[in-house]
Amino acid sequence: VMPGLRNDARAKLMYRQLLAPSETELEAFVANGGEKIADCRVRVELDNGGAEKLHLADVVLGTVEPNQIKAVNFRLQLPSLPDNPDAEICVTAFDGKREIGRNGYQITLHNFDAIRKPLQNAEQVLLIAPSETLQTILRELKVEFKLLDTETNINQFTCAILPWNTVPGSYDGAAL
C-alpha cells in the first residue's frame, strides 16, 4: 500500500516549495496492491525538524479495493512557520487503527511574511538606461537604484543593470 499526495490526477505531482501560512488544494491517494482496505484514511503531518511532527490533516478514503488507486480532494493548511529548506510532509495510511503504509515528500517551506519584506540590498544599483518596466519592478522590490546621467560617478557602483529592452545607442557605452 502506497499513500501519497498530488496536485491532481492528471499531472500527479506534489509541490516541493510551499508557503507558510497557506492553503493548497491537493489530492490524497492510496495505491493498493494488496487486499481490500475496509476503512482507509491518510494522515498528513509536517516534520519541521522539531521534537514532534505537526498534524496537518486526516483524509478519509473509505473502502479501497485490491489493485485500486483511490484519491480524495482536500485542503492542506499550513500555519505560519519559519523558512526551512529541509522540511518533510509525512503521509501515513491506515486501515482503521492499523498502519499500512508510509510515504514522504522533502519540501522547502518559505515564510510568507519574510518573502513580502523589502529586499535588503547592500548597495545601490546603477541602471544604465531607462526602462519603465524594470524601474517599476525595482521600486516594488524596494531595490535602490540610480539612473545613469551625465552627473553620475560610476565608480560609486559595483552593480549595474542594462535593461533588456534598451535601444542600442540610447546610452553612452564609452563613458562606462
Side-chain angles (χ1 to χ4, degrees):
V1 175
M2 187 186 82
L5 303 176
R6 60 192 183 194
N7 58 343
D8 62 50
R10 198 180 78 214
K12 299 180 183 176
L13 298 172
M14 174 56 188
Y15 301 111
R16 300 302 178 122
Q17 307 283 326
L18 294 172
L19 291 174
S22 69
E23 188 171 300
T24 306
E25 185 75 29
L26 292 174
E27 284 185 350
F29 70 89
V30 167
N32 182 17
E35 302 294 318
K36 179 178 179 177
I37 304 169
D39 183 20
C40 187
R41 81 180 156 81
V42 170
R43 177 187 301 149
V44 182
E45 298 171 300
L46 175 68
D47 183 346
N48 201 24
E52 294 185 20
K53 293 177 184 173
L54 176 64
H55 182 266
L56 299 174
D58 278 308
V59 183
V60 176
L61 282 86
T63 302
V64 183
E65 297 296 331
N67 301 312
Q68 179 186 17
I69 298 174
K70 187 169 184 181
V72 174
N73 291 332
F74 80 104
R75 289 193 170 278
L76 178 69
Q77 295 181 334
L78 289 172
S80 184
L81 297 163
D83 287 347
N84 185 349
D86 297 317
E88 181 180 6
I89 297 285
C90 303
V91 185
T92 309
F94 294 89
D95 185 2
K97 294 184 185 242
R98 183 174 61 96
E99 182 179 316
I100 56 174
R102 289 184 183 198
N103 198 355
Y105 300 91
Q106 294 296 315
I107 63 161
T108 299
L109 282 177
H110 302 279
N111 179 274
F112 188 72
D113 294 329
I115 289 172
R116 298 189 67 197
K117 287 183 180 175
L119 292 177
Q120 300 297 316
N121 55 319
E123 55 208 52
Q124 193 178 46
V125 172
L126 177 62
L127 191 56
I128 296 173
S131 166
E132 284 304 315
T133 303
L134 181 56
Q135 287 173 251
T136 300
I137 292 169
L138 293 173
R139 279 188 204 101
E140 287 176 2
L141 292 173
K142 302 203 180 356
V143 172
E144 293 180 32
F145 68 92
K146 174 162 179 36
L147 187 59
L148 179 66
D149 61 26
T150 57
E151 304 294 318
T152 304
N153 177 359
I154 62 170
N155 294 325
Q156 292 178 280
F157 299 89
T158 58
C159 179
I161 299 174
L162 178 62
W164 60 89
N165 59 350
T166 302
V167 176
S170 66
Y171 61 95
D172 184 0
L176 296 175

